[in-house]
């Protein structure tokens, strides 16, 4: 949103009542048609602005969408979210973020969409992204670390999301499922798609795409058994702008600490405490094999430690884990 539009938005917010067109012209030193242009822009972003001849303009509702002007009041992060690209609809925020990063967008830039027509999940899956209810966003990072360390970011961001959820929805019992899903009552609430753009010895940038089912009131039959939303879990509507800001606020200091550290050692106690898989019997699907065993932990480098029946522990750097039914 351009600066004058967001100043006018703030002015309308403070006024709480009608403000005349002349008053806005005078305060901002712009013409009546320019005022109208800014009002139209606010409306296109989803704000309800009443316009009544003889009275002026009145802001009658916030959007509830994660637009910049509604995220900023919650944002304490210094860099993350300070460059903000909002789209009511786009194919995939990861795709847009990749294009922006290739054109030099700085670290911390965030791309948000209210809906996606081609939302992308892990393993080539589709991420269903209906409008008006959930969060879909991508963060651009330029970590400047050897590319071998980059996969650790998936777990780090899962920690940040988990912490943000604990603050905004304390009654929720959320679990982190290695490497980066967040689940509640065994159903997926949130997925993360990390994409790295690098050459063997240099990481150009990383795009971290996050999808959180926030206020979705119901899920399709195919998803009902495996996915859920914050609303379905808590019965509460959650502010999407606040949740987005909270994730960024939690993630920035973790990321800064991680850049200085060698590995994920400093978040392992948190991961262990909130891990879904800890000490559980699982199967892990990798590209060309399926392994099973008991999860004995997560390594400092973010690998899943899988103890096989032969007592040997394997360190897995990728894969999709499934809980096995425990035999009692
Ligand atoms: C998963 O499959 O678990 C990962 C899902 C990631 C979805 C998010 S929504 C925002 C961003 N843009 C995308 O196209 N995908 C990610």
């Amino acid at each position: 949103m351009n600066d004058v539009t967001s100043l006018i938005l703030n002015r309308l917010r403070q006024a709480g009542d009608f403000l005349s067109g002349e008053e806005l012209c005078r305060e901002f030193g712009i013409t009546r048609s320019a005022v109208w242009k800014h009002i139209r822009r606010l409306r296109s972003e989803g704000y309800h602005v009443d316009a009544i001849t003889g009275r002026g303009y009145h802001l009658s509702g916030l959007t509830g969408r994660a637009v910049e002007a509604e995220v900023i009041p919650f944002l304490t992060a210094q860099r993350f979210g300070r460059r903000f690209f909002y789209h009511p609809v786009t194919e995939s925020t990861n795709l847009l973020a990749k294009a922006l990063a290739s054109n030099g967008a700085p670290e911390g830039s965030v791309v948000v969409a209210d809906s996606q027509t081609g939302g992308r999940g892990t393993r080539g899956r589709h991420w269903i992204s209906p409008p008006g209810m959930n969060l879909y966003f991508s963060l651009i990072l330029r970590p400047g670390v050897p590319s071998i360390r980059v996969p650790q970011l998936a777990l780090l961001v899962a920690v940040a999301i988990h912490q943000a959820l604990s603050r905004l929805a304390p009654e929720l019992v959320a679990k982190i499922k290695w490497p980066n899903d967040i689940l509640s009552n065994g159903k997926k609430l949130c997925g993360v798609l990390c994409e790295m753009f690098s050459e063997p010895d240099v990481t150009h940038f990383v795009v971290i795409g996050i999808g959180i089912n926030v206020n979705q009131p119901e899920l399709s039959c195919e998803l009902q058994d495996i996915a859920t939303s914050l609303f379905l879990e808590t019965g509460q509507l959650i502010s999407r702008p606040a949740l987005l800001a909270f994730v960024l606020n939690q993630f920035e200091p973790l990321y800064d600490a991680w850049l200085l550290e060698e590995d994920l050692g400093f978040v392992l106690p948190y991961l262990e405490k909130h891990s879904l898989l800890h000490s559980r019997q699982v199967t892990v699907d990798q590209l060309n094999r399926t392994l099973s065993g008991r999860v004995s932990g997560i390594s400092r480098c973010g690998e899943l430690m899988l103890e096989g029946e032969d007592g040997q522990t394997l360190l897995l750097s990728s894969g999709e884990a499934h809980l096995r039914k425990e035999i009692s």
Side-chain angles (χ1 to χ4, degrees):
M1 184 183 295
N2 97 17
D3 283 353
V4 181
T5 315
S6 62
L7 289 172
I8 291 179
L9 173 64
N10 280 342
R11 188 68 187 85
L12 289 168
R13 239 190 211 142
Q14 284 161 2
D17 196 358
F18 277 88
L19 265 182
S20 73
E22 289 101 84
E23 215 165 323
L24 289 170
C25 291
R26 220 181 14 256
E27 271 187 45
F28 294 98
I30 54 177
T31 61
R32 286 195 81 111
S33 72
V35 168
W36 182 234
K37 201 179 79 200
H38 293 294
I39 298 293
R40 276 210 316 264
R41 189 165 298 149
L42 287 174
R43 285 178 170 171
S44 75
E45 290 212 353
Y47 291 95
H48 300 277
V49 185
D50 309 313
I52 297 187
T53 318
R55 294 193 69 191
Y57 303 104
H58 170 242
L59 182 69
S60 58
L62 297 177
T63 64
R65 297 183 194 169
V67 295
E68 186 176 10
E70 288 184 38
V71 172
I72 294 291
F74 298 103
L75 196 67
T76 54
Q78 302 294 306
R79 308 184 318 285
F80 290 9
R82 297 291 165 184
R83 287 292 289 278
F84 203 96
F85 302 87
Y86 176 82
H87 294 265
V89 53
T90 190
E91 184 182 344
S92 151
T93 56
N94 266 35
L95 279 180
L96 263 183
K98 180 182 164 191
L100 286 163
S102 305
N103 284 316
E107 171 158 283
S109 301
V110 169
V111 182
V112 186
D114 189 51
S115 69
Q116 299 181 117
T117 52
R120 290 150 25 125
T122 48
R123 302 181 155 231
R125 294 188 188 115
H126 186 60
W127 187 259
I128 297 167
S129 314
M133 49 186 88
N134 296 327
L135 266 180
Y136 319 108
F137 64 100
S138 302
L139 172 69
I140 296 171
L141 296 177
R142 299 183 180 278
V145 298
S147 42
I148 190 152
R149 280 193 63 195
V150 170
Q152 296 173 14
L153 283 169
L155 270 169
L156 199 65
V157 76
V159 169
I161 298 166
H162 190 277
Q163 291 177 342
L165 290 174
S166 314
R167 289 180 165 220
L168 260 183
E171 66 278 34
L172 184 82
V173 183
K175 292 279 175 196
I176 299 173
K177 177 169 168 267
W178 178 90
N180 53 14
D181 290 342
I182 309 281
L183 282 79
S184 171
N185 288 316
K187 297 183 184 179
K188 185 155 160 170
L189 267 177
C190 166
V192 179
L193 178 65
C194 292
E195 297 187 274
M196 169 168 70
F197 302 89
S198 63
E199 284 168 59
D201 51 348
V202 53
T203 307
H204 296 299
F205 59 85
V206 178
V207 169
I208 306 219
I210 301 173
I212 309 179
N213 295 335
V214 186
N215 295 324
Q216 190 153 345
E218 56 185 356
L219 286 126
S220 62
C221 294
E222 315 87 76
L223 291 178
Q224 259 168 24
D225 291 339
I226 52 169
T228 187
S229 72
L230 290 172
F231 176 72
L232 287 170
E233 293 300 302
T234 65
Q236 317 265 348
L237 289 172
I238 305 270
S239 156
R240 289 183 290 161
L243 179 55
L244 169 53
F246 275 42
V247 171
L248 299 174
N249 295 343
Q250 295 297 326
F251 190 33
E252 187 180 88
L254 286 175
Y255 174 71
D256 287 343
W258 175 80
L259 288 176
L260 297 173
E261 301 276 335
E262 292 276 287
D263 53 37
L264 290 170
F266 70 110
V267 287
L268 281 187
Y270 191 95
L271 277 169
E272 215 124 278
K273 183 164 175 209
H274 300 286
S275 159
L276 177 77
L277 304 179
H278 197 68
S279 299
R280 304 288 298 271
Q281 293 289 338
V282 300
T283 55
V284 182
D285 292 332
Q286 292 192 312
L287 277 184
N288 47 12
R289 60 178 182 170
T290 298
L291 300 156
S292 38
R294 180 185 150 274
V295 173
S296 57
I298 292 169
S299 77
R300 296 177 71 92
C301 293
E303 298 139 318
L304 190 73
M305 294 160 68
L306 189 70
E307 202 180 277
E309 267 155 31
D310 56 4
Q312 298 250 348
T313 298
L314 293 174
L315 295 180
L316 308 182
S317 53
S318 65
E320 191 169 73
H322 306 276
L323 287 175
R324 276 166 53 192
K325 291 232 161 28
E326 316 248 309
I327 306 147
S328 48

